[in-house]
Amino acid sequence: FFPISGQKNIQMVRVSFFMQAKKILLIAGGEEKAEALKNSLYGPITPSVPASILQLHNDVTVIADEAALSLIM
């Protein structure tokens, strides 16, 4: 067991954990999620948008309502 200090390290552990999953289901709903969803799926992969790392995963399924998809469609 190694103690983790700082928010940046904790975030890296979370990202690493999710990227090890065989399948990922991303669910987004509402207009307030539209920009985040667009940036996550089509923006640059960057630490400022942690979900953007999912672009590198082989099996991500996205379920979103029309409002969340409004900036993509």
Side-chain angles (χ1 to χ4, degrees):
F1 172 77
F2 297 97
I4 298 171
S5 62
Q7 183 64 29
K8 196 176 259 188
N9 289 335
I10 292 170
Q11 203 169 37
M12 288 303 299
V13 169
R14 289 180 189 154
V15 168
S16 174
F17 175 77
F18 285 114
M19 291 303 287
Q20 291 177 27
K22 291 181 182 179
K23 297 176 182 258
I24 294 177
L25 177 62
L26 176 63
I27 302 173
E31 188 176 338
E32 66 278 1
K33 300 296 183 195
E35 186 173 357
L37 186 60
K38 179 182 175 185
N39 291 337
S40 296
L41 300 177
Y42 296 104
I45 298 170
T46 174
S48 63
V49 182
S52 65
I53 194 73
L54 296 178
Q55 294 177 40
L56 301 177
H57 196 280
N58 290 328
D59 195 353
V60 177
T61 300
V62 177
I63 298 176
D65 63 11
E66 287 186 34
L69 292 169
S70 64
L71 297 178
I72 296 172
M73 298 179 3

